[in-house]
Amino acid sequence: MAEQNRLQEDEREEKSWKRWGPYLSERQWSTIREDYSPHGDCWNYFPHDMARSRAYRWGEDGLLGITDQQSRLCLGLALWNGKDPMLKERLFGLTNPEGNHGEDVKELYYYLDSTPTHSYMKALYKYPQSEFPYTQLVEENRKRTTTEPEFEIQDTGVFNDGKYWDVFAEYCKNAPDDVLCRYTLCNRSKETCSIIVLPTLWFYNTWVWGCSHESCTREGCSHEGCTTKPTLRLRSDCGVDCSHETLGPMTFLFDCLDDGTAPKLVFTENETNTMRLFELENSTPYVKDAFHDYIVDDDTSKVSPDSQGTKMAGVYRLVVPAGGSVQIRCRLLPTSSEQVKSPFGQEFNDIFTLRLQEADDFYDKVIGRKDAEHYRVSRQALAGLLWSKQFYQYIVKDWLDGDRSILQPPEERKTGRNCEFKHLFNRDVISMPDKWEYPWYASWDLAFHMIPMARVDIHLAKEQLMLFLREWYMHPNGQIPAYEFCLSDVNPPVHAWSCLRVWRMSGPRGERDMHFLGLCFQKLVMNFTWWVNRKDPEGNNIFAGGFLGLDNIGVFDRGAPLPEGCVLEQADGTAWMAFFCVCMLEMAIELANYDSMYEDMATKFFEHFVTICEAINNMYGEGLWDEKDSFYYDRLIVDGNPELLRVRSLVGLVPLFATLVLEEDAISPLKGFSERVEWFLNNREDLARRHSYMLPGKKRRQLLNLPTESHMRKVLACLLSEDEFLSPFGIRSLSKYHEEHPFEIHTKVGGLASVNYQPGESTMSMFGGNSNWRGPIWLCMNYLIIESLRRYDYFYGESLKVDFPTGSGNSLRLRDVAVELSKRLVNLFVPDSNGRRPCHGNDALYKDDPHFKDLVLFYEYFHADEGRGCGASHQTGWTALVVNCIDLLPQ
């Protein structure tokens, strides 16, 4: 298979098929990296209005663009409909203070296809033909409260009656450095319309930060990535020569339109317009926003008359009849490949046809035989996952110190945000949660991303997981960096789980990548030790951890420091550590069968798991278990007085994840470990009563399980109750019980605090207000629940059945419950009997417009009662787990 061969060639470093890809961010402005304000106000320091005029320090962004793996040379689209107040070069959205539910992109765009080597890629942007409603979107959302819905671009009416452009961007590769670009502009209206399209090429500015413009060399500068100033220079054949000292000589060619019209090529510099922004004289007369002035203001003096610079574009002025389309073709290739006699001849189209067929062949094998809708959802989900790879650069020491004479950070920075991560040196292509709303990695998100990623690119999945364990990412104390807003925040320890799952996908048993597993294990031991030392403050195996990625799920901000005399014992923090234990135990057993040196580590993690089980279930009599409610809760201790925080949420479901089936075949060769387990069963009856084992056939299986079987059955009854956690679309993050029965408590931690059921967007501003864990459906946690049910079923089989839903009398094995939950999650994305995809809510465009109806968005989370997508609209990272859910369905 052609795409599989390309993956292997890239892995063996024979051909760099992944050198070019969708690694261009969709929002570099208002990020922490670009923020040099005194008090970390990233949203107001570098807003959208500045982005067109100000050169970025730490990356680049663009519209439907691509770049190389170090973001040296970037390619994107710019558009103008003749009415907008600014040239459309990047996606627009609200900052966190502007949105009534936090930051939010206010554009419609879709990732339609991509192979893992990006040998073929396709995306779509919908551009209004009327003036883009920038002001209306800002002002209307500013008026709305947190209890009101967000005002979306569809609500302005700009897409009504088909009055918009469908802008398709397609890329394919003839060779690793020979990239073909095809842009198709479709007029969906009933009238002839005009549009100006600028395929734009520019160099990431690495030459001004603390260096002389022309004299700096890579060897003589301490800034990573700094180069002498590159150049884009006009050729005689409607193209440009691209000169960069580390990229090598490249050529970019523009094709004429079908009527023979050639584009006008314009040039400027990718440097800040200091006069517009700061009323300071510009260092060059030709600056970053020159094309805006040239197109929108018709000011030809702003582009370079010398036909050279570090940013350039081909200007295509199109007039397209109603329902018609026009295609623009470009090509990027090494200058040494100029022997291509006809770069835009029939071969150009033939290459696209071949690459698309190869993509079809690849996904037919990866996705398998599915019905049309399941196939469509799977392919678009995987496309979004692959399009969400981004070049990410954050070198904390340089960021803290600033750049000589250009960007001097405030004095407060030296002891402020991320100052304890001076070792951090990030300069890689990384899987992002959402390249607009979250254009920075989140380590626990990435662990989930790699589960569907391993289906299409196992090598990349292993690389990404290992990357966060390397010494230039992981803190010397063993902590994995969280995300740029606060690298020291604590997320659930799911990295070991992801490493283990990806390892299982690396080959059939006996042929799996033991080297990868061993490397991960060694570094994860450091991370485990950090957790034990830092998050078990009393040394009693009851863990804290802070907000643990679940933002506002607690009664108060669990990430904030507690007042003196207060201790928070977290059910989820403790259960996550038990989950971490069983993952490390399973790794150690696998490695011990390969190398006996790991056997003692298996024993260590077994014993640690047992002590955590004992603590969460028996400390203070019942541990963090409440027999009255049959649920696990956090406990708040104030001046020695303990009180359970009786909030039925995902916090109390996490204990279900900590389970492992030990197979006799796997542990019997490990004599020391087997003897230790046997001793435990025979001599610790106080603990062994919690340890289940069965004899299926002649082989003994043992179940390590955080909750007892009795506790597990009771939690499952709550989990599968439609009055509690079970919604038509999966498992809620907070029980519906709290809709009528809010939990309230008055403590010196936060005064009077309450938790109530909120099935959609958050009605509070905790953690920015753009995420909500008090009711909605989250694919990541639902997937862990499904996986846990399947593990329990593997052990219990027919001997354990439950009602689904609770009280219905419909008795199912747990594997069948997992299938039913998967169906509910998948139904978020497929049309219902009325032709409506629940993820799109009641938006008529997606139901009635034929150019919308096959498009799917993979939101951050989903309204628990309606299925409507909420939060980030392109969180195809962990929401791509729907692909794995589809696999569980009978076809």
Side-chain angles (χ1 to χ4, degrees):
M1 188 187 300
E3 179 62 17
Q4 195 62 48
N5 290 339
R6 283 189 286 269
L7 281 168
Q8 292 170 1
E9 289 174 343
D10 188 86
E11 181 179 352
R12 295 191 298 261
E13 300 184 356
E14 295 172 359
K15 294 182 178 179
S16 186
W17 283 104
K18 296 178 186 174
R19 188 183 198 189
W20 299 91
Y23 314 136
L24 192 61
S25 178
E26 280 151 7
R27 178 173 65 83
Q28 186 67 19
W29 53 274
S30 284
T31 59
I32 292 299
R33 284 157 290 149
E34 300 294 341
D35 177 27
Y36 285 74
S37 65
H39 304 292
D41 184 10
C42 65
W43 297 111
N44 293 311
Y45 176 77
F46 198 150
H48 176 267
D49 182 62
M50 279 191 176
R52 74 171 188 262
S53 304
R54 187 169 181 173
Y56 295 125
R57 169 63 177 90
W58 294 99
E60 288 289 345
D61 61 18
L63 181 63
L64 303 183
I66 64 171
T67 186
D68 65 274
Q69 289 176 316
Q70 297 179 40
S71 193
R72 291 165 290 192
L73 182 60
C74 307
L75 171 64
L77 280 180
L79 308 166
W80 194 54
N81 56 16
K83 303 180 180 69
D84 283 356
M86 68 183 76
L87 186 66
K88 174 65 68 175
E89 294 182 276
R90 58 188 48 80
L91 297 170
F92 171 75
L94 305 181
T95 64
N96 184 275
E98 290 174 332
N100 61 327
H101 296 120
E103 64 268 29
D104 188 33
V105 66
K106 298 299 183 185
E107 305 264 23
L108 297 183
Y109 59 105
Y110 309 86
Y111 308 124
L112 301 180
D113 212 352
S114 181
T115 58
T117 64
H118 311 296
S119 58
Y120 177 77
M121 301 168 58
K122 185 177 184 180
L124 166 65
Y125 172 67
K126 289 183 178 287
Y127 184 41
Q129 293 175 352
S130 59
E131 180 179 338
F132 194 93
Y134 292 105
T135 302
Q136 185 182 5
L137 287 166
V138 172
E139 291 182 351
E140 183 60 35
N141 277 285
R142 185 179 288 132
K143 295 175 187 175
R144 298 197 176 193
T145 67
T146 57
T147 60
E148 295 178 284
E150 296 170 8
F151 185 70
E152 304 292 1
I153 189 171
Q154 302 96 299
D155 300 326
T156 68
V158 294
F159 296 105
N160 292 352
D161 302 319
K163 293 181 179 179
Y164 61 89
W165 296 94
D166 269 345
V167 183
F168 292 94
E170 291 178 278
Y171 302 96
C172 77
K173 298 177 184 177
N174 183 45
D177 287 320
D178 185 358
V179 183
L180 286 63
C181 317
R182 187 165 67 186
Y183 306 110
T184 305
L185 289 295
C186 300
N187 179 5
R188 300 304 188 194
S189 76
K190 299 174 184 178
E191 301 175 353
T192 297
C193 289
S194 61
I195 186 172
I196 300 177
V197 183
L198 296 84
T200 306
L201 195 69
W202 71 98
F203 284 114
Y204 167 35
N205 188 329
T206 60
W207 56 89
V208 302
W209 312 109
C211 339
S212 300
H213 276 236
E214 302 296 341
S215 62
C216 174
T217 64
R218 187 177 180 87
E219 292 75 20
C221 179
S222 62
H223 292 85
E224 180 68 24
C226 184
T227 61
T228 54
K229 189 174 180 180
T231 306
L232 300 169
R233 184 175 287 107
L234 180 68
R235 295 162 50 100
S236 59
D237 55 354
C238 203
V240 294
D241 285 327
C242 316
S243 301
H244 189 286
E245 67 178 356
T246 65
L247 189 62
M250 304 287 290
T251 297
F252 192 73
L253 302 174
F254 296 85
D255 192 17
C256 296
L257 298 175
D258 289 342
D259 64 4
T261 303
K264 169 71 174 176
L265 304 192
V266 291
F267 294 77
T268 189
E269 301 292 346
N270 184 20
E271 298 196 21
T272 299
N273 185 344
T274 54
M275 179 57 69
R276 174 179 180 254
L277 298 179
F278 311 116
E279 297 184 351
L280 299 174
E281 185 177 352
N282 288 326
S283 61
T284 169
Y286 312 111
V287 289
K288 182 178 178 180
D289 56 13
F291 300 159
H292 163 86
D293 295 331
Y294 177 78
I295 296 295
V296 178
D297 298 333
D298 196 25
D299 187 348
T300 59
S301 69
K302 296 301 178 68
V303 297
S304 172
D306 298 330
S307 297
Q308 67 177 25
T310 50
K311 179 179 179 181
M312 66 81 53
V315 181
Y316 291 88
R317 301 177 185 271
L318 309 179
V319 178
V320 185
S325 64
V326 173
Q327 203 168 87
I328 293 171
R329 293 174 291 271
C330 305
R331 192 163 182 172
L332 176 68
L333 68 168
T335 304
S336 59
S337 300
E338 290 186 64
Q339 63 268 26
V340 177
K341 295 181 180 179
S342 182
F344 300 110
Q346 184 58 41
E347 181 205 24
F348 185 93
N349 293 325
D350 290 345
I351 295 169
F352 262 104
T353 300
L354 177 62
R355 293 293 179 260
L356 178 56
Q357 181 59 57
E358 291 169 350
D360 291 342
D361 293 342
F362 177 78
Y363 280 112
D364 286 350
K365 184 174 181 179
V366 167
I367 298 173
R369 300 182 66 179
K370 303 283 193 297
D371 68 49
E373 279 300 335
H374 288 165
Y375 186 93
R376 177 178 292 112
V377 170
S378 295
R379 189 149 174 182
Q380 288 190 38
L382 293 170
L385 183 66
L386 291 163
W387 269 89
S388 296
K389 292 155 65 176
Q390 175 189 313
F391 172 73
Y392 182 86
Q393 181 174 222
Y394 189 24
I395 302 168
V396 171
K397 185 179 183 301
D398 287 354
W399 182 76
L400 292 171
D401 293 343
D403 300 297
R404 188 173 68 237
S405 76
I406 303 291
L407 285 174
Q408 286 298 313
E411 195 66 24
E412 295 91 336
R413 173 167 290 186
K414 294 179 181 178
T415 56
R417 173 179 279 145
N418 298 331
C419 64
E420 69 275 28
F421 269 77
K422 292 185 178 69
H423 74 286
L424 194 91
F425 191 102
N426 298 167
R427 199 165 182 271
D428 299 281
V429 171
I430 302 175
S431 178
M432 297 291 145
D434 179 312
K435 289 202 297 185
W436 192 94
E437 191 146 339
Y438 304 111
W440 31 262
Y441 63 74
S443 55
W444 89 295
D445 293 53
L446 182 133
F448 288 102
H449 299 182
M450 292 307 109
I451 306 305
M453 183 69 80
R455 298 166 59 91
V456 293
D457 192 346
I458 186 70
H459 181 66
L460 176 68
K462 291 188 290 185
E463 279 187 331
Q464 293 277 287
L465 290 168
M466 273 301 305
L467 188 63
F468 280 76
L469 301 176
R470 301 308 299 261
E471 55 272 22
W472 51 91
Y473 279 72
M474 177 184 274
H475 196 281
N477 64 19
Q479 184 179 11
I480 294 174
Y483 38 73
E484 66 178 40
F485 268 89
C486 184
L487 292 168
S488 61
D489 260 353
V490 182
N491 285 320
V494 292
H495 211 82
W497 164 78
S498 185
C499 291
L500 187 59
R501 295 301 175 267
V502 168
W503 170 76
R504 284 181 181 170
M505 299 172 71
S506 67
R509 179 165 287 280
E511 300 178 23
R512 293 171 181 164
D513 189 346
M514 300 303 296
H515 180 68
F516 164 74
L517 190 67
L519 288 175
C520 291
F521 182 83
Q522 299 292 346
K523 299 304 287 281
L524 286 164
V525 167
M526 293 175 58
N527 184 233
F528 185 90
T529 303
W530 174 84
W531 268 89
V532 171
N533 290 339
R534 296 295 182 93
K535 298 304 173 182
D536 181 11
E538 305 300 319
N540 58 12
N541 294 296
I542 295 290
F543 288 81
F547 85 113
L548 286 174
L550 307 185
D551 291 21
N552 64 343
I553 203 166
V555 181
F556 45 82
D557 182 353
R558 300 194 303 170
L562 294 171
E564 186 177 352
C566 296
V567 175
L568 181 64
E569 298 178 336
Q570 294 181 219
D572 56 339
T574 304
W576 281 122
M577 279 304 289
F579 180 60
F580 197 170
C581 274
V582 295
C583 291
M584 295 297 284
L585 171 57
E586 187 174 359
M587 282 188 183
I589 289 172
E590 294 289 352
L591 289 164
N593 277 283
Y594 177 76
D595 186 333
S596 61
M597 67 176 286
Y598 290 96
E599 192 170 345
D600 284 347
M601 294 302 293
T603 300
K604 174 256 190 304
F605 285 109
F606 172 78
E607 293 179 343
H608 211 130
F609 175 78
V610 169
T611 58
I612 293 175
C613 288
E614 178 67 6
I616 197 173
N617 288 289
N618 294 322
M619 184 170 287
Y620 311 115
E622 290 186 347
L624 300 181
W625 172 260
D626 180 61
E627 189 61 37
K628 175 186 174 183
D629 291 353
S630 298
F631 208 73
Y632 288 98
Y633 293 124
D634 285 351
R635 175 187 281 110
L636 180 65
I637 303 174
V638 180
D639 299 328
N641 300 310
E643 181 175 1
L644 290 176
L645 303 179
R646 297 177 183 275
V647 180
R648 295 209 276 277
S649 71
L650 285 172
V651 165
L653 300 180
V654 175
L656 292 175
F657 304 163
T659 181
L660 174 65
V661 178
L662 297 179
E663 299 278 6
E664 184 177 34
D665 288 349
I667 65 173
S668 58
L670 309 180
K671 185 178 179 182
F673 177 74
S674 298
E675 289 176 352
R676 181 60 178 159
V677 173
E678 198 67 31
W679 182 93
F680 160 78
L681 291 172
N682 294 332
N683 294 277
R684 290 295 305 273
E685 292 184 6
D686 57 325
L687 303 182
R689 65 176 182 267
R690 308 195 57 267
H691 183 78
S692 305
Y693 65 93
M694 299 187 76
L695 297 170
K698 296 181 180 179
K699 295 182 179 179
R700 186 170 75 164
R701 288 178 183 159
Q702 301 177 37
L703 179 69
L704 298 182
N705 191 22
L706 186 66
T708 64
E709 183 178 328
S710 172
H711 290 176
M712 183 257 290
R713 286 177 178 269
K714 292 174 181 178
V715 173
L716 288 178
C718 184
L719 176 80
L720 302 177
S721 169
E722 293 177 317
D723 295 328
E724 297 263 9
F725 286 95
L726 183 62
S727 101
F729 302 103
I731 299 300
R732 300 177 173 102
S733 48
L734 185 82
S735 171
K736 195 175 175 67
Y737 168 83
H738 292 298
E739 185 173 39
E740 300 294 332
H741 306 89
F743 174 80
E744 293 186 347
I745 188 173
H746 193 287
T747 72
K748 71 177 187 179
V749 175
L752 180 64
S754 66
V755 173
N756 66 313
Y757 176 67
Q758 301 171 14
E761 290 87 354
S762 176
T763 61
M764 60 191 303
S765 59
M766 189 187 296
F767 284 92
N770 58 338
S771 296
N772 183 25
W773 291 85
R774 294 188 175 186
I777 308 297
W778 291 79
L779 262 289
C780 53
M781 299 297 277
N782 271 258
Y783 184 76
L784 286 174
I785 290 169
I786 288 168
E787 189 181 78
S788 299
L789 292 173
R790 287 166 58 82
R791 284 200 300 275
Y792 285 122
D793 183 84
Y794 180 70
F795 180 75
Y796 286 107
E798 291 284 348
S799 69
L800 178 56
K801 293 186 177 182
V802 296
D803 279 3
F804 185 87
T806 297
S808 67
N810 178 37
S811 183
L812 296 179
R813 280 180 59 163
L814 295 185
R815 70 179 182 190
D816 299 320
V817 173
V819 171
E820 292 301 318
L821 290 180
S822 296
K823 285 180 184 177
R824 295 186 180 215
L825 294 170
V826 172
N827 285 341
L828 288 164
F829 306 97
V830 299
D832 60 19
S833 58
N834 297 314
R836 182 184 71 93
R837 298 180 194 270
C839 65
H840 294 317
N842 294 316
D843 193 328
L845 280 173
Y846 289 97
K847 181 177 179 293
D848 300 330
D849 189 322
H851 304 297
F852 273 83
K853 70 181 184 67
D854 289 338
L855 301 173
V856 185
L857 288 175
F858 299 88
Y859 286 85
E860 183 180 3
Y861 57 98
F862 300 86
H863 193 291
D865 300 331
E866 302 169 3
R868 174 177 55 83
C870 303
S873 56
H874 292 74
Q875 189 124 343
T876 328
W878 60 28
T879 303
L881 287 164
V882 68
V883 177
N884 297 68
C885 295
I886 289 173
D887 275 352
L888 296 178
L889 305 185
Q891 296 298 320

